[in-house]
Amino acid sequence: MKLVACVKQVPDTTEVKVDPKTHTLVRDGVPSILNPYDHYAVEECVRIKEKIGDGSVIVITMGPPQARSALMKCLALGADEAVLISDKAFAGSDTFATAYTLAQAIRKLGSIDMVFCGQQAIDGDTAQVGPEIAQQLGMPQVTYVEKIEIDDKHKLTIHKQTEDGYHILEAKAPLLLALLPPTSFQPGNPPMSRILKAKKKPFNIWDAEKLGGDKSKFGLDGSFTQVIKTYTPPSRGECEIIEKEGKEAAKKLGEILLKHEALIKR
Amino acid sequence: MGIEIILDKCTGCGLCVKACPFAAINIKDKKAEIEANCTLCGSCVEICKFDAILLERPKPSDKDLSEYKDVWIFVELREKDIKKVSFELATKAREIADTLGERVGAVILGGKVKHLCDDIAAYGVDVIYTAENENLIQYNTSNYAGILTGLILKYKPNIVLFPATHLGRDLAPRVAAALEVGLTADCTGLSIKDGLLLQTRPAFGGNIMADIISPSARPQMATIRPNVMKVQSPDSSRKAEIISIPVDIDPKAMRIIIKEIIKTTESGTKSLDEADIVISGGRGMDSAENFKILEDLAETINGVVGASRAAVDAGWRPRSDQVGQSGKTVSPKLYIACGISGKIQHQVGMKSSDTIIAINTDPEAPIFDIADCGIVGDLFEVVPILNDELKKNLSKD
Ligand SMILES: Cc1cc2nc3c(=O)[nH]c(=O)nc-3n(C[C@H](O)[C@H](O)[C@H](O)COP(=O)(O)OP(=O)(O)OC[C@H]3O[C@@H](n4cnc5c(N)ncnc54)[C@H](O)[C@@H]3O)c2cc1C
Ligand SMILES: Nc1ncnc2c1ncn2[C@@H]1O[C@H](COP(=O)(O)O)[C@@H](O)[C@H]1O
């Protein structure tokens, strides 16, 4: 079985600060990390490959040359081969153009059984790229995947999170999965020995020429959405601290809440 | 442009006949044949194992954009009822349609849905497109996306809005990719500017807001966060034109099968992302049992209990209760955070609440940076007294 994991390098949004004067994002010094959702997806993809016994995991990313480090990490996590799709032509891609480019790359890799994505990337939070790739490849998809099991006959049993619990689904390849890490998941660093081993694995870099496909669907040209303005959200104002002892404070809070529209309009 | 069967490749296996939700394919002389009622939805292309179907939809640049009219919403159901977010979408769609001088259309897919039409019409919907089939009772991506894609190609709406729920975030990108149009995720604001849909959404973990337009393709599509848009009061005298779309769904063509549906929240309880009042507990709650005091308060003020990731990780609450980056996004009128430090990943999921109240022993906790009102104190002392206070006063009237 041939498995593909799509990963993205993202700024660590927990480290992003807003400049109090200019109200713009301070990105200097913000570390780039492998999207935590994708980190988990790669680990799962490798686990499924090992369970099946034969097969390979190819990790792909579309991004700037620095995104190489995210792929190297994935190779250290157990992926077998990496593809970095990098070219100025891809700059400014929205989710449609990103998905088009990734789908084109996946097609180029030959007949793929399963595609693993993170449920969302922590910078854009759109959760759209996975389903858009699936549509372009004509593959069924399962999003919000919490758990995957595969049996000897390659039948998949999938837990899909729903708003009030989960569904247990049955499926077979080919398909695309968008994975949600368990709440306890902490992205860890692979051991040094694996990092060294990763350096010997095949690493491909594809530019627009090499990728092929319809150039009008790349980058800014292929993007239908346009960001026309970004700004910091209006500040919420100061927090009013109720400066009283526990019991009195609780009573005062009660008074405030009784005047709140959510309680009046019950 | 259009759809074509590559006769050399077609084996007449009939999978496409089963997959077509519009019953627009027949097998004649061991080859598939596309009928005139084909909507170019693409369900057949997806299922064909032999790459025997060639589909080319009109390119956005070929489209005459002015042909596209009306503001559509996808109506999400919860069991047999319309979800509150659908009314929010209808209200917003009405406002936008009035600005543009267009109609509001609504799509309802399900088992039996006709009886729901008046309910949604009351929020200002003019035309309702329904498809009824027992295989649509449970949401499944392929059928829903196929039907919606077909409807949009046929009726050409200018704008289509989806709820940014589990369902909407699964369905909308599928449809957008099939149509080759833009899709803006998780919008918290919508308006019309120079005739275009101006979509506002948070990004970078809620640290910035972005204004987005999709000028070059139609329809303009977006998913909308639940609980952000206001709901107008319904006008039951409003009636809508109903257009029933005949569909034919063969469950054998479904490639992903639901074996079991597990609910971790009690049925009948309001879901977290639809609640007007959310009371969340974090690590400061100390144990699963202690959440009882939050449950009691929730009962008094008709709220729903949520949790931080720390509380879920500790096993005190089910995962479906988690608010935040890897949990749910809520934006209730009132959010009460008890024993939650309010790290950025938690904030992402609740920052857009109208009013935020924090109860925490640590005056330095980041939750106070975004709270409107707070108590630096022990929640085990504050919450029960607060509950008594509210109970006393609310039972009076
Ligand atoms: C990729 C990623 C995704 C994440 N996604 C989420 C997410 O979706 N949701 C989420 O919540 N977190 C998420 N987190 C984790 C997040 O960073 C925090 O670790 C978590 O929110 C902390 O939960 P907490 O505030 O309950 O616990 P703590 O940070 O331990 O805070 C407990 C608070 O309770 C107060 N307290 C203790 N006792 C009392 C008392 N008796 N009375 C009053 N106050 C008291 C303490 O002062 C403290 O401030 C994510 C992290 C990562 C890396
Ligand atoms: N540039 C990219 N390269 C590779 N994979 C990506 C890229 N952008 C998004 N993805 C994949 O799509 C998922 C959802 O991303 P998003 O739609 O941006 O929230 C991510 O978790 C990745 O698996």
Side-chain angles (χ1 to χ4, degrees):
Chain A
M1 272 212 181
K2 224 166 162 180
L3 313 180
V4 166
C6 299
V7 304
K8 187 177 185 188
Q9 189 176 51
V10 293
D12 187 349
T13 51
T14 58
E15 302 285 328
V16 172
K17 300 254 153 41
V18 174
D19 185 316
K21 284 210 186 78
T22 58
H23 297 287
T24 50
L25 280 189
V26 183
R27 290 191 215 192
D28 292 346
V30 176
S32 285
I33 55 169
L34 173 62
N35 180 29
Y37 291 81
D38 303 349
H39 185 128
Y40 175 73
V42 170
E43 288 186 5
E44 278 296 289
C45 189
V46 169
R47 185 181 68 82
I48 296 289
K49 179 196 86 169
E50 281 165 2
K51 183 84 193 291
I52 298 167
D54 75 311
S56 62
V57 171
I58 307 168
V59 278
I60 62 175
T61 193
M62 181 191 85
Q66 309 83 282
R68 180 189 184 91
S69 61
L71 290 176
M72 290 312 293
K73 184 162 202 175
C74 297
L75 291 175
L77 290 170
D80 302 292
E81 188 176 341
V83 181
L84 170 62
I85 308 159
S86 195
D87 197 311
K88 284 214 167 59
F90 304 130
S93 296
D94 73 353
T95 61
F96 179 83
T98 303
Y100 175 79
T101 308
L102 292 169
Q104 178 65 24
I106 294 169
R107 265 187 230 111
K108 209 173 138 72
L109 290 169
S111 168
I112 296 298
D113 297 291
M114 285 193 246
V115 180
F116 287 67
C117 283
Q119 172 60 29
Q120 60 195 54
I122 61 170
D123 54 350
D125 282 332
T126 78
Q128 287 176 183
V129 170
E132 294 197 34
I133 295 173
Q135 171 66 36
Q136 303 200 19
L137 292 174
M139 276 186 183
Q141 76 197 34
V142 184
T143 55
Y144 293 96
V145 172
E146 293 186 321
K147 199 170 141 193
I148 316 160
E149 289 308 332
I150 187 159
D151 71 8
D152 301 340
K153 296 200 178 72
H154 294 179
K155 190 181 81 196
L156 293 158
T157 304
I158 301 164
H159 285 204
K160 175 189 167 78
Q161 188 190 70
T162 60
E163 254 133 51
D164 45 19
Y166 58 94
H167 287 175
I168 303 177
L169 310 173
E170 230 175 68
K172 280 201 125 165
L175 85 174
L176 178 143
L177 302 165
L179 273 64
L180 204 55
T183 59
S184 55
F185 176 69
Q186 291 290 347
N189 281 320
M192 201 55 203
S193 59
R194 298 251 225 131
I195 296 175
L196 291 174
K197 235 168 133 186
K199 293 195 171 133
K200 300 199 185 79
K201 294 182 178 175
F203 194 103
N204 312 283
I205 301 175
W206 294 351
D207 59 10
E209 202 53 50
K210 187 122 195 220
L211 184 70
D214 180 350
K215 298 220 159 33
S216 71
K217 289 182 179 167
F218 291 153
L220 218 46
D221 290 345
S223 298
F224 300 105
T225 56
Q226 280 178 18
V227 178
I228 52 171
K229 196 172 124 198
T230 59
Y231 47 97
T232 47
S235 102
R236 295 191 66 100
E238 282 289 290
C239 176
E240 177 198 339
I241 299 286
I242 303 176
E243 306 277 5
K244 288 185 193 310
E245 280 315 300
K247 188 166 180 223
E248 290 309 309
K251 283 192 173 158
K252 174 79 186 153
L253 180 58
E255 276 171 38
I256 296 172
L257 289 185
L258 283 167
K259 285 189 223 119
H260 193 278
E261 65 156 323
L263 269 73
I264 295 170
K265 261 188 41 187
R266 272 177 325 133
Chain B
M1 222 173 298
I3 189 160
E4 204 184 311
I5 303 287
I6 303 166
L7 294 177
D8 289 350
K9 290 188 179 173
C10 177
T11 63
C13 73
L15 265 182
C16 53
V17 178
K18 292 197 182 99
C20 177
F22 298 102
I25 312 181
N26 286 314
I27 301 288
K28 279 203 193 111
D29 300 331
K30 300 222 177 82
K31 301 282 171 196
E33 201 172 84
I34 312 274
E35 307 289 328
N37 60 330
C38 168
T39 64
L40 303 183
C41 81
S43 299
C44 53
V45 181
E46 200 186 307
I47 200 133
C48 180
K49 290 187 177 145
F50 308 98
D51 289 332
I53 309 174
L54 207 63
L55 171 71
E56 209 181 314
R57 298 198 184 88
K59 292 222 167 50
S61 52
D62 304 339
K63 294 177 188 168
D64 179 3
L65 300 186
S66 65
E67 259 183 68
Y68 290 75
K69 287 222 155 38
D70 293 354
V71 183
W72 278 21
I73 60 166
F74 176 82
V75 177
E76 184 172 342
L77 309 180
R78 185 175 189 230
E79 272 146 32
K80 288 188 180 63
D81 296 318
I82 297 176
K83 270 192 128 177
K84 183 177 145 231
V85 63
S86 306
F87 299 129
E88 295 165 7
L89 261 54
T91 303
K92 193 69 198 181
R94 182 72 262 161
E95 180 194 312
I96 292 170
D98 284 342
T99 315
L100 293 168
E102 296 179 359
R103 298 180 305 172
V104 174
V107 178
I108 316 183
L109 310 181
K112 289 263 172 290
V113 298
K114 289 275 154 51
H115 61 287
L116 299 171
C117 289
D118 282 352
D119 294 351
I120 193 81
Y123 291 84
V125 174
D126 303 304
V127 195
I128 300 175
Y129 305 86
T130 63
E132 296 181 311
N133 188 293
E134 59 173 8
N135 295 305
L136 293 175
I137 294 174
Q138 270 302 328
Y139 168 73
N140 73 80
T141 312
S142 296
N143 288 331
Y144 271 59
I147 294 172
L148 220 69
T149 304
L151 283 178
I152 292 171
L153 285 166
K154 179 160 182 198
Y155 293 100
K156 300 188 168 53
N158 179 11
I159 292 171
V160 184
L161 308 176
F162 296 82
T165 52
H166 279 51
L167 189 159
R169 293 174 107 210
D170 185 81
L171 173 64
R174 196 88 200 184
V175 176
L179 296 167
E180 304 204 359
V181 301
L183 176 66
T184 306
D186 279 337
C187 296
T188 55
L190 291 176
S191 59
I192 296 294
K193 194 179 164 224
D194 304 329
L196 290 173
L197 184 67
L198 183 73
Q199 307 154 114
T200 303
R201 66 169 309 239
F204 282 96
N207 286 304
I208 58 167
M209 303 297 291
D211 283 351
I212 295 170
I213 53 171
S214 317
S216 63
R218 295 291 181 279
Q220 305 164 79
M221 303 211 331
T223 64
I224 317 300
R225 281 234 177 120
N227 271 329
V228 186
M229 307 295 173
K230 298 280 167 272
V231 181
Q232 72 175 35
S233 36
D235 171 2
S236 57
S237 68
R238 281 196 82 117
K239 293 284 174 282
E241 176 193 351
I242 297 172
I243 299 180
S244 314
I245 314 296
V247 289
D248 173 31
I249 290 158
D250 190 331
K252 286 198 210 80
M254 292 185 194
R255 286 187 287 169
I256 290 169
I257 296 150
I258 302 181
K259 283 284 161 190
E260 221 176 314
I261 295 175
I262 314 273
K263 290 206 169 133
T264 48
T265 48
E266 284 162 48
S267 71
T269 55
K270 238 193 274 166
S271 72
L272 200 55
D273 44 7
E274 286 193 294
D276 277 339
I277 301 177
V278 173
I279 304 157
S280 285
R283 203 195 309 273
M285 295 303 298
D286 263 345
S287 73
E289 293 70 45
N290 288 341
F291 269 83
K292 176 83 171 57
I293 62 172
L294 301 191
E295 300 278 1
D296 289 345
L297 177 60
E299 197 180 310
T300 307
I301 59 178
N302 200 11
V304 175
V305 175
S308 75
R309 173 161 144 180
V312 172
D313 282 355
W316 302 337
R317 302 297 290 181
R319 175 142 196 204
S320 48
D321 282 3
Q322 184 180 320
V323 172
Q325 188 183 91
S326 41
K328 286 181 179 158
T329 303
V330 300
S331 38
K333 294 202 169 70
L334 179 61
Y335 188 90
I336 307 180
C338 306
I340 292 180
S341 60
K343 301 230 168 70
I344 180 89
Q345 295 92 341
H346 187 77
Q347 288 189 14
V348 172
M350 42 69 74
K351 214 175 176 177
S352 54
S353 307
D354 284 355
T355 305
I356 297 170
I357 311 278
I359 305 167
N360 195 310
T361 42
D362 175 9
E364 302 297 323
I367 190 78
F368 289 117
D369 297 342
I370 58 158
D372 299 285
C373 176
I375 294 179
V376 179
D378 184 351
L379 72 96
F380 295 109
E381 187 184 359
V382 173
V383 176
I385 300 172
L386 175 65
N387 187 24
D388 287 345
E389 260 319 279
L390 294 172
K391 220 185 207 156
K392 213 163 58 196
N393 285 285
L394 290 169
S395 57
K396 269 189 212 146
D397 38 61

